[in-house]
Amino acid sequence: MKIKNVVAYCLLACMFCCFPGCQDSDDVGENYTTFTGETISDFLQNNADYSDFAEALKTAGAFSLLESYGSYTCFVPNNTAMEAYAKEQGYGSFEHFLDSVEAVK
């Protein structure tokens, strides 16, 4: 009985040595696509009405999150809303709001 087990384990070990493993290949055929559209960060940089939100994200160190590709939604406040929020929080202007990184975060 022990001999059968030893032979079975040896055959199993030989199978792992003889069969090739996974291959790393850069050839993905026609299944590889590249996104060429506009990301949310591109949209913010191309539309001046949302520049305050973009500045707040840069101040908080979170702007790079919107540079990624994929399907997601971002509700972006315009400059008027950002200025109103800054004043509501007790800052005289949006620029003073940006001076407080913790408040922006």
Side-chain angles (χ1 to χ4, degrees):
M1 188 70 162
K2 286 186 178 185
I3 293 176
K4 287 183 182 181
N5 287 341
V6 171
V7 170
Y9 286 126
C10 287
L11 286 174
L12 186 63
C14 288
M15 283 181 18
F16 284 117
C17 293
C18 295
F19 294 117
C22 297
Q23 296 178 355
D24 186 19
S25 173
D26 290 335
D27 182 19
V28 291
E30 296 179 17
N31 296 328
Y32 184 74
T33 59
T34 302
F35 179 79
T36 57
E38 183 178 51
T39 62
I40 293 178
S41 65
D42 294 334
F43 177 80
L44 292 176
Q45 290 175 340
N46 295 334
N47 292 285
D49 195 35
Y50 304 106
S51 62
D52 286 352
F53 183 71
E55 284 301 314
L57 288 175
K58 289 175 185 176
T59 300
F63 189 75
S64 63
L65 296 173
L66 300 180
E67 294 174 338
S68 63
Y69 301 113
S71 298
Y72 55 93
T73 302
C74 181
F75 295 100
V76 180
N78 61 16
N79 292 348
T80 305
M82 291 297 290
E83 290 170 15
Y85 178 76
K87 288 181 182 176
E88 182 181 288
Q89 296 300 310
Y91 297 93
S93 67
F94 184 73
E95 288 73 27
H96 289 113
F97 176 67
L98 289 178
D99 291 339
S100 175
V101 177
E102 287 303 314
V104 174
K105 286 183 179 181

